[in-house]
Amino acid sequence: MSTIVFLDTRGEKLPKAAREAVTYASQLAGGPVTAVTFGDAQGLETLGAQGAGKVIVARGLKTVDGQQLTRLVADVATKEHADTIVCVHDATGKTVAPRVAVRLKAGHVAGVTGLPEGGLFRRNVFSGKARAFVEVKSPVKVLSLMPNSIAVGTGTNSATVEEYAGDPGPARITVKEVRKAGSGVPLPEADLVVSAGRGMKGPEHWGLVEELAKELGAATACSRPVADMHWRPHHEHVGQTGLAIRPNLYIAIGISGAIQHLAGVNQSKVIAVINKDPEAPFFKAADYGILGDAFEVLPKLIEAAKKLNAER
Amino acid sequence: MNDGTDRNRRPVKFAAPFKNGSMKILVLIAQVPDTTSRIAFKDGGTAFDGTGVTWIVNPYDEWYALVRALELKEAAGAGSITTITVGGADAEATIRKALAIGADDAVRVDAQPADAYGVATQVAAYAKDKGFELILAGKETIDHNGGQVGAMVAELLDLPYVALASKLDVAAGKATIERDVNGGVEVVEAALPMVVGCAKGMAEQRIPNMRGIMAARTKPLTVVAPVAADELAKAVKFELPPAKGAVKMIPADEAGKLIELLHTEARVI
Ligand SMILES: Cc1cc2nc3c(=O)[nH]c(=O)nc-3n(C[C@H](O)[C@H](O)[C@H](O)COP(=O)(O)OP(=O)(O)OC[C@H]3O[C@@H](n4cnc5c(N)ncnc54)[C@H](O)[C@@H]3O)c2cc1C
Ligand SMILES: Nc1ncnc2c1ncn2[C@@H]1O[C@H](COP(=O)(O)O)[C@@H](O)[C@H]1O
């Protein structure tokens, strides 16, 4: 029995979430694992550093057709006698992992946040307001790892890379157009996030938010009303009905901290809140707080961040 | 273990898309605790404590999947929207809410949802010979947060599935969809029938009006018996996250100190 890990490695460099998943899989297996991926990614041998012994890549597949990728993963799983299949709980993983689970009649745990404890897999439920421990009852398991849940392994090994020899079948989904997210750090991958809400009064004031984000090397996010009023693009909306993120640092400026907002950000490692209302519920969820007017506080933060950057 | 081939799959029969220009849509509706609910567990942390909880239609199912289904039906000028819920009789008030928003009829599969595979098995068993051209699920439930059921239904029915769809249009038997992918948005196309996981952007929330609420009372709600389904992954224990320590306040006129603390104390920048 073996462990395989399915990755979407398309893009300019291998995503951190892919390295996390390989690290997780090899810690779970207690030894080298086989990674399965697709597209024209380069540098796949470097996944050896995280514990991949071998990488099987279906070069011919360039896009996310869930059925093709499911056939690919199920085929490799069968050939490798895999009893554990690790995926990333990202857009691609959400398309593929549940399908693979059905195909292999395997229990699927979506969004595991760590190695099993007493055989149970931990995951967040109720939008981060609680966690559940899941028992997998089938002999084969599919585990989708929540990004940012494990430190990336740093070995020195190199993986062998081989081309997938099977036939993933036809695609039933055709891609007409691809729109890359704007420059800067994509929000779901970001370690640092600067976010702002209705307290910023209007889109014309976002220059301050962006400047702080730039100085920190952070991505920007916003509350739902801000996206609804088109002050900011929808892909920045975080919360229960937007994106759920778990960066190392989340700075919330002029956001009240409604429960639906917190649901998308309460997994952040450190939360800093800037609000002029001492009763703002966000302070209860924060590690650091500044009670004050964003328009006075932000310039001070930008200045301090510039100073820090100059020193290092 | 299944050998991963299509050999054992029985072909599923679907009606020709858009017979008479009408659409036949199935919308998956899950019942979830209201977004402001206090979350608590009972029986030694093994079960959710629903005491005092208000139940609602899962927001993704209601705001996006159901409303977009209505818009597509309205645009086609004909068609039908059926909702399906796997749940006990206690889910019927929530199901009526979906009917009040505009679904034509509802199906309840009389089983307590145990895991995503179980729910998907019930939905697929019901849908397989009904000729639905589109099956719409939400991106995820806000209690379970799995994002699994839609993809599992698609696999069980051997249909294409697009997750995280933020736009959905249908013409000439084909769906055009915008979906979030890692690092951007893709516009994709697939022939119907198919399954779509609906996310924000697809439609605007609709508030049911009095007429809708009255009409919902008499719309058909059919209860069907469940098929046998295996339980493959089960949440056996729940807990609340550890409480946050007290917030460290920094005076506003020394705001720059925050950056220093984030660097030296929290070590995140
Ligand atoms: C089912 C449901 C789902 C929802 N999903 C989401 C979601 O996914 N994401 C989300 O964000 N919301 C969501 N909401 C909305 C949520 O309930 C709140 O209404 C929303 O988060 C409030 O946004 P806000 O904090 O930006 O605005 P407000 O609530 O208006 O708060 C503005 C804050 O800024 C502060 N402020 C004002 N001026 C200044 C200043 N000069 N300096 C500093 N602080 C200032 C105020 O004290 C206040 O705390 C949802 C609601 C429902 C019902
Ligand atoms: N018990 C259920 N009955 C009907 N549909 C459901 C049920 N549970 C989940 N779904 C659908 O599947 C989607 C994804 O759910 P989940 O996999 O639980 O996150 C939801 O948004 C619903 O559309």
Side-chain angles (χ1 to χ4, degrees):
Chain A
M1 285 295 145
S2 71
T3 295
I4 67 168
V5 49
F6 166 68
L7 309 168
D8 182 348
T9 50
R10 294 169 307 155
E12 271 144 46
K13 60 181 222 237
L14 299 186
K16 180 168 148 236
R19 295 196 186 276
E20 290 169 352
V22 176
T23 307
Y24 181 81
S26 71
Q27 287 186 8
L28 202 60
V33 296
T34 298
V36 189
T37 188
F38 61 103
D40 41 25
Q42 298 304 309
L44 292 171
E45 67 286 347
T46 65
L47 290 171
Q50 283 75 47
K54 173 167 78 178
V55 183
I56 298 175
V57 53
R59 289 284 181 209
L61 295 184
K62 309 270 188 219
T63 178
V64 188
D65 180 285
Q67 290 183 290
Q68 285 184 314
L69 292 172
T70 298
R71 282 184 216 109
L72 165 70
V73 177
D75 183 29
V76 174
T78 306
K79 286 179 184 147
E80 300 270 323
H81 305 287
D83 62 352
T84 306
I85 295 130
V86 176
C87 300
V88 180
H89 196 52
D90 61 0
T92 307
K94 285 175 190 175
T95 309
V96 177
R99 292 195 88 120
V100 169
V102 167
R103 188 162 276 238
L104 301 178
K105 203 81 199 293
H108 174 217
V109 193
V112 293
T113 52
L115 290 162
E117 299 159 43
L120 302 179
F121 293 90
R122 194 166 81 185
R123 61 185 299 272
N124 294 317
V125 288
F126 296 97
S127 306
K129 285 176 255 176
R131 43 210 199 182
F133 294 83
V134 181
E135 180 192 354
V136 178
K137 299 188 163 183
S138 50
V140 180
K141 303 178 185 63
V142 178
L143 308 168
S144 303
L145 180 68
M146 193 73 139
N148 238 340
S149 296
I150 191 170
V152 170
T154 52
T156 50
N157 290 347
S158 179
T160 57
V161 180
E162 59 182 63
E163 188 117 358
Y164 174 65
D167 175 14
R172 286 160 81 183
I173 294 171
T174 19
V175 178
K176 294 278 144 192
E177 189 189 331
V178 182
R179 284 182 226 140
K180 289 259 174 298
S183 59
V185 192
L187 190 50
E189 286 255 318
D191 283 333
L192 310 172
V193 174
V194 177
S195 184
R198 204 141 58 172
M200 286 308 291
K201 306 284 188 280
E204 66 278 15
H205 298 131
W206 244 264
L208 284 169
V209 178
E210 282 174 334
E211 193 175 353
L212 178 61
K214 191 175 136 251
E215 290 302 329
L216 296 175
T220 51
C222 68
S223 67
R224 179 168 151 218
V226 162
D228 284 349
M229 292 182 295
H230 304 294
W231 291 2
R232 299 296 294 174
H234 271 296
H235 62 76
E236 284 198 359
H237 156 199
V238 293
Q240 184 126 44
T241 44
L243 205 58
I245 54 171
R246 42 186 351 229
N248 289 333
L249 172 65
Y250 184 74
I251 303 185
I253 305 152
I255 302 177
S256 56
I259 192 155
Q260 297 93 352
H261 183 87
L262 295 181
V265 303
N266 57 12
Q267 302 294 315
S268 310
K269 288 207 180 77
V270 175
I271 296 180
V273 166
I274 296 135
N275 199 299
K276 68 173 187 189
D277 174 9
E279 302 295 323
F282 223 143
F283 283 123
K284 290 205 184 68
D287 301 285
Y288 296 95
I290 299 178
L291 179 63
D293 188 324
F295 296 96
E296 285 159 27
V297 170
L298 271 171
K300 292 200 173 79
L301 295 182
I302 292 165
E303 188 194 334
K306 282 190 169 144
K307 192 165 148 250
L308 178 66
N309 285 339
E311 282 164 8
R312 53 179 175 183
Chain B
M1 190 169 83
N2 187 315
D3 66 358
T5 65
D6 295 307
R7 204 183 323 134
N8 302 326
R9 279 153 202 276
R10 259 184 288 127
V12 182
K13 289 235 173 343
F14 287 93
F18 308 114
K19 223 192 303 165
N20 315 321
S22 76
M23 289 277 296
K24 196 169 161 171
I25 306 176
L26 182 67
V27 180
L28 276 63
I29 296 286
Q31 162 169 278
V32 297
D34 177 71
T35 53
T36 55
S37 301
R38 192 183 68 92
I39 303 302
F41 300 97
K42 59 180 185 184
D43 304 339
T46 58
F48 177 64
D49 182 357
T51 315
V53 164
T54 308
W55 296 88
I56 58 167
V57 179
N58 185 43
Y60 295 104
D61 307 354
E62 178 189 328
W63 302 359
Y64 308 129
L66 177 59
V67 176
R68 188 62 192 142
L70 289 167
E71 290 172 354
L72 289 173
K73 177 185 152 184
E74 287 160 7
S80 67
I81 298 166
T82 301
T83 67
I84 184 166
T85 302
V86 181
D90 60 309
E92 294 200 354
T94 307
I95 296 172
R96 293 272 174 215
K97 189 162 175 231
L99 291 170
I101 291 168
D104 298 295
D105 63 333
V107 171
R108 178 172 70 81
V109 183
D110 192 21
Q112 281 309 325
D115 67 352
Y117 180 73
V119 173
T121 304
Q122 302 304 339
V123 172
Y126 174 79
K128 70 171 189 293
D129 50 9
K130 304 283 190 307
F132 292 107
E133 286 135 350
L134 258 182
I135 299 177
L136 302 183
K139 163 182 128 168
E140 64 179 43
T141 43
I142 63 167
D143 52 354
H144 177 68
N145 304 116
Q148 299 157 289
V149 171
M152 288 182 172
V153 169
E155 183 65 18
L156 289 165
L157 297 177
D158 192 19
L159 293 178
Y161 171 70
V162 169
L164 304 172
S166 56
K167 246 184 202 157
L168 165 65
D169 275 301
V170 175
K174 253 192 205 166
T176 306
I177 299 169
E178 284 190 23
R179 68 170 168 194
D180 294 338
V181 289
N182 302 343
V185 174
E186 273 181 6
V187 184
V188 301
E189 218 172 67
L192 301 184
M194 71 175 303
V195 185
V196 181
C198 304
K200 190 187 163 73
M202 191 172 277
E204 297 283 342
Q205 184 181 6
R206 281 191 193 180
I207 311 292
N209 57 24
M210 210 48 204
R211 227 177 90 228
I213 295 167
M214 298 301 288
R217 292 190 186 162
T218 54
K219 285 181 179 171
L221 194 168
T222 313
V223 179
V224 304
V227 297
D230 290 322
E231 194 176 271
L232 299 177
K234 184 183 167 56
V236 292
K237 203 174 81 182
F238 297 92
E239 62 182 36
L240 298 174
K244 270 260 177 201
V247 51
K248 189 172 208 167
M249 294 302 290
I250 296 147
D253 47 8
E254 296 167 30
K257 226 179 135 212
L258 173 64
I259 299 292
E260 210 179 295
L261 287 171
L262 291 173
H263 181 57
T264 57
E265 187 181 84
R267 296 172 168 277
V268 287
I269 59 173

